[in-house]
Amino acid sequence: MSFDLLLKGGTLPDGSVADIAIKDGRIAAAGKSIASDAAETLDISGNLVSPPFVDPHFHMDATLSYGNPRINASGTLLEGISLWGELKPLQSEEEIERRALAYCDWAAAMGLLAIRSHVDTSDEDGLKGVRALLSVRDKVKDYITLQLVAFPQDGFYRSPAARDCTLKALDMGVDVVGGIPHFERTMADGRRSVSELCEIAAERGLMVDMHCDETDDPMSRHIEQLAYETQRLGLHGRVAGSHLTSMHSMDNYYVSKLLPLMAEAQVAAIPNPLINITLQGRHDTYPKRRGMTRVPEMLAHGIRVGFGQDCVLDPWYSLGTADMLDVAFMGLHVGQMTSPSDMQRCYAMVTSQSAAIMGLEDYGLEKGCKADLVVLDAGNTIEAVRLRAPRLFVVAGGKVIARHQADETALSVEGRPASVKRRV
Ligand code: FE2
């Protein structure tokens, strides 16, 4: 049989070595020593071959806007939200689309081929972003799966137009129902918003992903309501709580009740380590809280966790590269997940676990899966995280869309020329 592309001798995330053959945009065969003709053969022996990176939490309507119209001086979440409010009326649909497409180029080059992006649906200005990102979703569909979440950033009840605009966005084809209960005027309104938004999702057969309890306030407990509504409406496995940072500060006894409720409802968690460590604890003196939710404890309860990136160069975050290995690296540190098995789990949280949260079909390296993958200049997943390893090849829909030369530095010290490569 003749294949379009054959990758020889790569190391899979589970440590096994296999050849991967691709035909018509699908993985046609995967296993030991596939002998066949192929239009192109890549010898990737010694390198990690992985399903693509997946970002389950991003804001593509705000990305690459850093400094426009000003920077976030305090660095807080709340100043970020008001700065976003200043930027929204100033930006055009075309500008949002141009920035989003530029970001998608960054993402594709990094092997990040599936992204769940929230898009502001607070008001008519937000709908510019909805129209722009629906267009982007279509334009990048051959190489990036873009899933959109209707996100009433200024509060589903707190912003007068948010309810109408959120429903309008869903009518226009936005995929997932979002929310922000901790930003409503009262705890009661927050709870009510969780209930109504989950009912909207149940009626329309959609998934739910809410910004939930993104605060240091230990009494912000909307995740409890989210788990309850998931159970009541039978939305098991279709609901995620993003951030959940208040859980970092909650009473331990309460959390011992909460985590089993989340597990029972199959509510997934999406922490965003880069942003959580940056934005949370800003009102603390010392010791300062880290703010990231309780990842190892959730995993111990069987709760699915995926790490998200959240922001790149926008009103909330002044850095970022579209590299999900940066996200895994930070999550590993903040969560103190340093055992070999925990480090491997951190890699899974930016690949397979996030793919499962997004409900991606045909994701993986098995026969029949969509031929999306990334080859890294690393021997295994832990080394990939340690090095934030270069992506040697990115394959999307069976085609090589990015190529990179292996990183190596020529060093000369004490008259001893050497070649430095950080792999072991
Ligand atoms: Fe977010």
Side-chain angles (χ1 to χ4, degrees), residues 57-59 118 151 211 214 243 272 310-311:
H57 188 114
F58 195 63
H59 293 264
H118 295 253
F151 173 47
H211 284 65
E214 189 184 4
H243 293 296
N272 297 278
D310 205 1
C311 303

